[in-house]
Amino acid sequence: MALKTLEDLFVHFLRDIYYAEKQILKTLPKMARKAESEQLRDAFEHHREETESQIENLEKVFEMLELKARGVTCEAINGIIEEGKDIMSEAESPDVRDAGMIAGAQAVEHYEITRYGTLIAWGEQLGKKDAVKLLKENLEQEVAADKKLTDLAVSALNREAA
Ligand SMILES: [Fe+2]
């Protein structure tokens, strides 16, 4: 797709995050199964449910734009997920695996936060108020998920130090 206007870029990034969310939806159950800490498992399961609603929000945005919902391969998220898988399989203890999964999940959240931040800014500029509202909902969930992961990482480190 030729990117001539801000609107084209907006649609491109929308497809990018749509693809990313779908990859994440597939990956979260695997991470939940591997989590040793119950709180971490719950966090991954909860975020999987949120991700489903985020995908629905994105589908509503596509509908508002009168476009078919479809993704475009996002090599960035593929790379982050691949790296996370390597760490999961190389970790030799459950605690180390949990710490590695938290780091990987936070990299995912930060990627999503940057994408939603950009989409919201462009959406505002393009006057897409209803779309921006839905994108903000998704962004807020990502920010909260990231904060929860930080809290889990800190409490795990404190446990280890004690
Ligand atoms: Fe997400």
Side-chain angles (χ1 to χ4, degrees):
M1 175 182 163
L3 301 173
K4 289 183 188 153
T5 63
L6 190 60
E7 173 104 23
D8 294 341
L9 266 182
F10 181 85
V11 171
H12 178 82
F13 278 74
L14 190 66
R15 288 179 172 146
D16 173 289
I17 192 72
Y18 186 64
Y19 173 91
E21 294 290 11
K22 289 199 147 185
Q23 296 307 114
I24 295 157
L25 185 68
K26 276 196 271 181
T27 308
L28 280 166
K30 293 175 197 161
M31 294 172 79
R33 273 199 300 276
K34 290 265 184 182
E36 173 75 7
S37 143
E38 210 179 304
Q39 286 162 300
L40 184 59
R41 190 164 55 239
D42 288 348
F44 288 150
E45 276 165 5
H46 176 69
H47 198 55
R48 194 199 61 80
E49 283 167 27
E50 284 182 332
T51 303
E52 275 181 350
S53 79
Q54 290 172 359
I55 289 172
E56 281 169 24
N57 275 354
L58 292 175
E59 286 168 351
K60 284 182 205 156
V61 174
F62 279 112
E63 227 179 277
M64 287 170 184
L65 301 171
E66 293 175 11
L67 290 171
K68 198 172 154 285
R70 69 174 178 85
V72 56
T73 304
C74 166
E75 295 301 350
I77 204 73
N78 285 347
I80 293 171
I81 290 173
E82 269 319 303
E83 185 187 68
K85 280 184 186 159
D86 288 347
I87 289 179
M88 273 159 73
S89 63
E90 285 165 27
E92 290 188 3
S93 82
D95 287 350
V96 167
R97 186 177 306 113
D98 277 7
M101 283 198 293
I102 290 175
Q106 287 199 280
V108 167
E109 293 312 321
H110 284 237
Y111 179 77
E112 294 183 296
I113 289 166
T114 180
R115 282 291 179 258
Y116 282 122
T118 299
L119 280 167
I120 289 164
W122 289 346
E124 275 168 353
Q125 205 165 334
L126 294 165
K128 300 183 186 306
K129 270 194 188 148
D130 296 339
V132 165
K133 205 171 146 253
L134 294 169
L135 294 166
K136 279 186 175 168
E137 258 179 47
N138 286 13
L139 175 64
E140 276 162 27
Q141 287 179 345
E142 310 299 11
V143 170
D146 180 50
K147 186 179 177 307
K148 195 164 171 189
L149 289 165
T150 298
D151 292 346
L152 286 175
V154 171
S155 67
L157 288 176
N158 287 347
R159 252 199 324 276
E160 210 147 288

